[in-house]
Amino acid sequence: MIRLGRALRVLLGLSLVAPYPAAAANNIRIGRPAGAPVVVSGAAAAIAGGKLGVPAGVKLSWVDLKSPYVNPGLSIKPQVKAPAIPGVVVVEGMAPAGLPAIPAALIKSMAPMEAWFPAASDAAAMLPSGTKVSSFHDLQVMGSAQKSAAAVSGRVFDGARVKKDAAEAPLDGSVEPETVTREIAGQAQEQDLTLRFSRDARKQLAGSSLYASVRLVGGSGSQWYWNQFADGAKVRVLVGGQTMFTTRVESGQTKAISQLVKKDLEGLYSPQILGKYTIAQLRHRLIDELTAYNRYSKPGQPTVIGPDSQVRVVRFMKYSAARALPENQDEQVYEPKLRAPIVLPSALADTRNHLPKAVLLDMSLFQNPVPAEFLEDMGKLMKAGMYFVLMSDRPKDGPGSVEELLTRGLTNRQRDNLTRYKMIVLSDSGNSLAGYKGLFPAAMPIPRFKSEERDIMAYVAMRLRASVLQNTAAEIKLKLPRGVNAAAFMDEFRTALQALELKREVNISVQKDGSSAIVTLRPNSLISALPDMFEALRDREGLFVNNSDLMVISRDADLLKATAGAVQPALHSAAQGAALVDLSLAAMLGKYRENMRGDLAASASKISSFIKNRDSKGGDFGNVYMMMGHVMHSAFNWAVWAYRNTGVLPGADELITRARRNWAYEDSLRVRNMVDRPGHTMDGYREVMEARLRTMHKTVAELLQAYPIVLGTELPNLFVIDRYKKGQLEHRDVLRLIYDFVAARETPDGLEVMVLDFKTGQTPTLQNLEKDVQVQLYDIAVRQLWANVPVPYVSGAARKVASTGLTFIYPNGGYRPLLNEWGRIKYEKFLRQVMDRIRKHNNPPAPKTDKKPAAKSTKTARKA
């Protein structure tokens, strides 16, 4: 009996391999390759058909010896992708006639396959349209004769259009949407071309000494991509994941490394390096750099790079020339737009002068994607130093996510310009927390179920006859028996957890699944996650806030109750949904909500940098001095926050302990050596920091004796100055300021407010401090913005400000600059002039194209 069964299987296998009459014009039949197992899955055939790009009306026949219908759950391990060639019948082993065609819905439901027979795919891509092949073996034979020639000709693609793989587009030039992945389709868009550089390259790019890049060309996909970097192509230059500027390709060519000459490397290496080394040494250096970059960008995928490796040499416009392009003109200036006027409630009328440190934004207020104008408003406030925490039941990314709600209505350029560096997302009903670093979210800690808690809940569920469908630290899913009442089950479940002394709160939700129910257990809700979220922000962001420092934009009663004491616009307006968000943003922005042509935003540091170097794009934020300053500021923020809540300033030893903790965390994130002097060590810099903290702590303690009312630390401000010319409003200067620390004391005439600024570096010469840009700017802003100040800041009752002052806290003591009206008048004139210089520098005049006729020619014409 067994032998008879084997004989029948052999005969059936031979019948499948045997020649079969040619397929009709409206049929493509899928079978198996010679030598492959007899059983060919219907799923495999369906997916192969889906990858063929079959014209409308063509039937796909398939072979499945077990069943005429496919099981989508079968585990299929295909080898390569099928060629998408109209007119070619790919026959793996002829299928008997009369088998049913695959339904179109079934094909659409299949996950796309990555591959079908490699030799068949390669060979078929070389065949002319209409060629018919009778077997898989024929494809292999026909392909082998052309393979070497194609490999050689495929390398040379400069100046010629490269054919895409058959899987990317049919040979007749049409593009089938289902045969082109989103990634491939996206790369074809001009604005998606990018050149990425590390942060170390920022100064060279800004100084226009780096204006070329050499990138390794890999397979056909890499070849096709780098071929787009041709003359005139628009390219974004990304530094550290953020766009530094947009430029244009001046030339692009592909060569083997052994063919490169020194002229090819101009703009990649400095003239000094090009003159010092031979071309052989420069090629060896380039191979080492490409190998190091490949090892970093593709860990676990080693690539051997040698003299014969193909590279794309891309030369682009220098920054000094590219900054005149229209794409680079909106760096500091927003496009003027008409906005619907908003009448603010009296309770919110002064909010623009006392900005909150953080805004909690309930994303359930949006039924549609967030309008681009709102994202622009949020960006203005984040650049001023405010944090935005987006709270949602939605997932962080994917379909229906917070990310989709933010970006679905934006163009690619708007997405790239979206400000996110002070944006936090609390999603998944409080079970996911992330903070953006550049364009990408970085996960932050949020509580999860412990292993013993998961065991207890799974045990209780099984005792109550529920099935455990999923059991992870983030989520436990239970399926209730048919007919069991979900409410009664949850009561029993909670009682059992209490009996077993499981003390944590569990967020429970129920969904119907036919006649039964699915119960989802999660460790957090949006409300219960708030304390842990604020703790994470203190540890990871150095953001120390009380409820009084917040604005909460929501109509959720539980959220408003949990943040009592915050500024809550919903209590002062009947606006609903997105209208409430618009009202709240308008209250914080004031007249800066309306964009005006010629607006320019800057900070004290930007003005100082411009005075020193007009092409400066910011300092080097990766050095040890910046790290030291950040750790010291964060430590004092913690100490002052503790003083606000307890009335007692932590001692110097506690302050240093906190700073050591912050230092250890930031040092663990360090990716490069910050020590640039012989004999110096990170431990040595930490000891210097601790010594400075101790002396500065003494100064702060003395100041708090004199000014015991603390308003807060890291307070953001936006100061808008209208500039008039001949009686007409010409443009506005928008100044961004962050006060390190603000304290006050009672006087008979009102509050005396003192703005304190921590200077964590060496003490400079103090004779000219009164002329310092930051000193004068802080003085003007605080005097004009703070006629009244809320206590507690920002949601308390308004108190009259009798006088203001500035104190700078250096490691060797505090210093209060003496300012007078004459100095202030001179500074206001200087401020207007320097802002006009920055405006002109950012918007250089267009080159003149129409030349006047020469004077000599005119005289000659007159004589004639």
Side-chain angles (χ1 to χ4, degrees):
M1 194 67 176
I2 295 175
R3 292 180 179 178
L4 179 59
R6 287 178 179 173
L8 289 173
R9 283 196 295 272
V10 170
L11 290 173
L12 182 55
L14 291 173
S15 70
L16 290 174
V17 178
Y20 196 81
N26 66 336
N27 284 277
I28 295 179
R29 286 175 288 194
I30 308 297
R32 67 180 182 87
V38 174
V39 176
V40 179
S41 164
I47 295 165
K51 298 292 282 187
L52 283 172
V54 180
V58 173
K59 295 181 180 179
L60 303 177
S61 298
W62 45 274
V63 181
D64 190 333
L65 299 182
K66 294 184 178 180
S67 168
Y69 295 100
V70 64
N71 177 7
L74 291 176
S75 176
I76 307 300
K77 294 184 179 179
Q79 296 175 325
V80 280
K81 54 185 146 185
I85 309 174
V88 175
V89 178
V90 180
V91 182
E92 308 171 47
M94 305 305 292
L99 288 176
I102 301 174
L106 181 61
I107 297 174
K108 291 181 179 178
S109 68
M110 293 299 172
M113 284 293 187
E114 284 300 321
W116 271 76
F117 318 104
S121 180
D122 294 343
M126 304 172 192
L127 299 179
S129 178
T131 303
K132 293 190 177 182
V133 187
S134 62
S135 71
F136 177 73
H137 175 70
D138 288 350
L139 281 175
Q140 291 178 308
V141 173
M142 295 175 69
S144 62
Q146 305 177 52
K147 188 172 183 180
S148 58
V152 174
S153 63
R155 293 179 184 174
V156 184
F157 62 95
D158 289 315
R161 185 170 181 174
V162 180
K163 289 184 179 180
K164 298 182 182 180
D165 287 342
E168 296 176 5
L171 295 183
D172 64 356
S174 64
V175 178
E176 299 285 344
E178 58 269 20
T179 64
V180 183
T181 65
R182 292 182 87 181
E183 289 77 12
I184 294 173
Q187 290 171 348
Q189 299 175 13
E190 185 184 29
Q191 60 265 34
D192 282 346
L193 294 178
T194 59
L195 285 173
R196 298 177 182 272
F197 295 89
S198 67
R199 296 182 188 276
D200 297 336
R202 179 182 291 274
K203 289 184 177 179
Q204 292 175 285
L205 287 165
S208 298
S209 61
L210 177 57
Y211 53 91
S213 183
V214 177
R215 303 299 170 100
L216 183 67
V217 175
S220 59
S222 171
Q223 185 184 55
W224 169 79
Y225 177 75
W226 288 113
N227 191 47
Q228 296 179 90
F229 288 76
D231 298 3
K234 185 169 68 175
V235 178
R236 293 179 300 155
V237 175
L238 270 66
V239 178
Q242 292 186 330
T243 299
M244 182 172 176
F245 64 96
T246 300
T247 184
R248 297 277 177 177
V249 175
E250 293 186 333
S251 65
Q253 57 179 334
T254 299
K255 290 185 174 182
I257 294 178
S258 60
Q259 297 174 343
L260 296 175
V261 296
K262 284 193 175 183
K263 189 170 182 61
D264 295 326
L265 302 178
E266 291 179 359
L268 180 69
Y269 298 125
S270 66
Q272 292 78 8
I273 292 178
L274 293 176
K276 182 178 180 181
Y277 297 102
T278 66
I279 185 60
Q281 292 172 320
L282 292 171
R283 290 170 184 162
H284 185 74
R285 174 174 177 163
L286 178 62
I287 290 172
D288 290 342
E289 291 175 355
L290 290 173
T291 301
Y293 177 79
N294 188 72
R295 188 184 304 116
Y296 168 77
S297 61
K298 299 178 181 179
Q301 301 180 29
T303 300
V304 178
I305 303 174
D308 294 333
S309 298
Q310 299 286 313
V311 293
R312 184 71 169 176
V313 182
V314 179
R315 185 164 285 104
F316 49 88
M317 290 176 66
K318 299 177 182 179
Y319 171 69
S320 57
R323 67 185 180 85
L325 294 174
E327 294 86 350
N328 297 315
Q329 297 310 300
D330 61 350
E331 179 183 350
Q332 298 291 345
V333 181
Y334 293 100
E335 179 184 354
K337 293 180 182 178
L338 292 176
R339 301 286 294 273
I342 288 182
V343 178
L344 295 175
S346 58
L348 301 176
D350 207 31
T351 303
R352 64 184 180 275
N353 294 332
H354 312 113
L355 296 178
K357 292 179 65 174
V359 175
L360 306 189
L361 177 55
D362 185 352
M363 298 301 287
S364 66
L365 294 171
F366 296 102
Q367 301 302 316
N368 298 307
V370 180
E373 292 80 8
F374 290 14
L375 297 173
E376 185 179 284
D377 292 345
M378 292 162 61
K380 294 175 182 178
L381 294 166
M382 279 188 273
K383 290 176 182 177
M386 288 176 53
Y387 278 82
F388 273 81
V389 180
L390 312 183
M391 305 179 64
S392 178
D393 293 331
R394 298 167 177 250
K396 180 178 60 181
D397 47 31
S401 63
V402 176
E403 178 68 18
E404 187 179 71
L405 200 61
L406 280 177
T407 62
R408 191 173 64 192
L410 304 181
T411 64
N412 285 338
R413 181 162 182 78
Q414 287 174 327
R415 292 178 187 178
D416 183 54
N417 290 337
L418 181 59
T419 303
R420 299 200 199 217
Y421 64 93
K422 288 185 180 292
M423 182 179 287
I424 309 296
V425 179
L426 180 63
S427 55
D428 262 338
S429 298
N431 291 281
S432 176
L433 182 65
Y436 278 88
K437 303 297 182 185
L439 299 179
F440 306 100
M444 300 174 71
I446 201 74
R448 294 285 186 263
F449 287 135
K450 298 177 182 178
S451 58
E452 59 269 22
E453 293 172 340
R454 293 165 55 191
D455 292 341
I456 291 173
M457 286 185 282
Y459 170 76
V460 171
M462 288 186 290
R463 289 296 301 269
L464 296 176
R465 299 184 299 113
S467 303
V468 180
L469 302 179
Q470 178 180 325
N471 190 346
T472 66
E475 186 177 75
I476 299 174
K477 282 186 176 294
L478 310 175
K479 185 172 183 178
L480 305 187
R482 184 174 300 179
V484 171
N485 182 273
F489 172 85
M490 287 189 290
D491 289 340
E492 292 186 52
F493 188 80
R494 289 192 180 95
T495 301
L497 294 182
Q498 292 174 0
L500 293 171
E501 297 184 353
L502 183 65
K503 301 191 181 295
R504 73 164 301 133
E505 291 290 329
V506 179
N507 182 24
I508 303 177
S509 60
V510 181
Q511 290 179 331
K512 287 293 183 181
D513 183 22
S515 59
S516 59
I518 303 295
V519 176
T520 302
L521 311 176
R522 310 189 82 175
N524 308 298
S525 66
L526 283 173
I527 307 303
S528 67
L530 286 178
D532 296 294
M533 180 195 73
F534 286 127
E535 180 64 27
L537 293 179
R538 289 191 286 269
D539 285 342
R540 298 297 176 89
E541 298 290 333
L543 177 64
F544 294 85
V545 292
N546 293 335
N547 283 0
S548 60
D549 300 311
L550 304 174
M551 175 183 279
V552 181
I553 309 176
S554 176
R555 285 212 169 272
D556 185 283
D558 292 334
L559 179 57
L560 296 177
K561 181 179 178 181
T563 55
V567 177
Q568 298 177 343
L571 303 181
H572 310 290
S573 171
Q576 301 290 328
L580 178 63
V581 181
D582 199 10
L583 173 77
S584 305
L585 295 173
M588 291 183 284
L589 286 168
K591 56 187 175 182
Y592 190 36
R593 175 176 178 264
E594 296 282 350
N595 298 333
M596 183 176 178
R597 192 171 301 280
D599 282 354
L600 176 65
S603 61
S605 60
K606 180 174 179 59
I607 294 172
S608 299
S609 298
F610 178 82
I611 293 171
K612 295 176 183 177
N613 178 8
R614 293 190 302 172
D615 287 316
S616 174
K617 300 292 286 187
D620 179 9
F621 295 99
N623 61 58
V624 68
Y625 306 104
M626 292 297 295
M627 176 178 165
M628 182 188 300
H630 183 263
V631 169
M632 294 176 72
H633 275 77
S634 183
F636 274 114
N637 289 346
W638 165 79
V640 175
W641 175 73
Y643 174 85
R644 290 178 66 194
N645 291 303
T646 64
V648 178
L649 181 70
D653 292 337
E654 294 175 88
L655 179 68
I656 291 172
T657 300
R658 181 77 186 194
R660 286 175 179 169
R661 173 187 173 185
N662 296 346
W663 180 278
Y665 174 70
E666 297 215 7
D667 195 39
S668 69
L669 301 178
R670 183 164 53 89
V671 295
R672 68 183 181 90
N673 181 29
M674 290 184 177
V675 179
D676 56 0
R677 297 186 182 182
H680 289 201
T681 65
M682 291 298 288
D683 287 342
Y685 282 106
R686 191 196 69 237
E687 291 171 3
V688 170
M689 177 195 71
E690 293 174 4
R692 292 178 180 177
L693 280 173
R694 198 172 291 277
T695 57
M696 294 173 75
H697 177 272
K698 181 180 178 182
T699 303
V700 171
E702 292 172 353
L703 282 166
L704 287 177
Q705 294 294 323
Y707 297 90
I709 303 173
V710 173
L711 299 182
T713 58
E714 302 291 332
L715 302 184
N717 288 272
L718 272 175
F719 183 34
V720 181
I721 305 176
D722 294 332
R723 299 300 191 188
Y724 290 87
K725 185 175 183 180
K726 297 181 179 179
Q728 297 294 323
L729 180 62
E730 186 177 28
H731 52 252
R732 298 175 304 186
D733 292 338
V734 182
L735 301 166
R736 301 189 288 251
L737 308 95
I738 299 179
Y739 298 147
D740 285 351
F741 177 17
V742 180
R745 66 181 174 188
E746 298 279 3
T747 71
D749 297 324
L751 290 179
E752 180 185 346
V753 175
M754 183 63 63
V755 177
L756 310 171
D757 194 83
F758 294 110
K759 297 298 184 184
T760 57
Q762 296 289 350
T763 303
T765 303
L766 299 177
Q767 287 87 342
N768 296 322
L769 187 61
E770 285 79 4
K771 300 179 182 179
D772 183 81
V773 171
Q774 185 179 14
V775 172
Q776 297 273 6
L777 187 57
Y778 278 18
D779 174 66
I780 290 177
V782 74
R783 285 188 301 109
Q784 295 199 24
L785 292 178
W786 285 4
N788 297 285
V789 66
V791 180
Y793 200 84
V794 294
S795 63
R799 301 285 303 278
K800 180 184 176 182
V801 175
S803 62
T804 60
L806 302 176
T807 297
F808 289 81
I809 303 174
Y810 290 97
N812 66 345
Y815 181 80
R816 182 172 180 177
L818 300 176
L819 303 173
N820 55 52
E821 291 304 317
W822 173 243
R824 287 165 177 156
I825 292 172
K826 290 173 62 178
Y827 180 77
E828 289 181 10
K829 182 178 180 181
F830 157 78
L831 182 62
R832 178 165 188 163
Q833 290 175 343
V834 75
M835 292 294 283
D836 285 342
R837 287 165 54 195
I838 296 174
R839 186 178 285 105
K840 186 175 180 180
H841 179 73
N842 288 355
N843 298 274
K848 296 181 179 179
T849 55
D850 298 327
K851 296 183 179 179
K852 295 181 179 180
K856 186 175 181 180
S857 302
T858 305
K859 291 179 180 179
T860 304
R862 287 177 180 174
K863 288 180 181 179

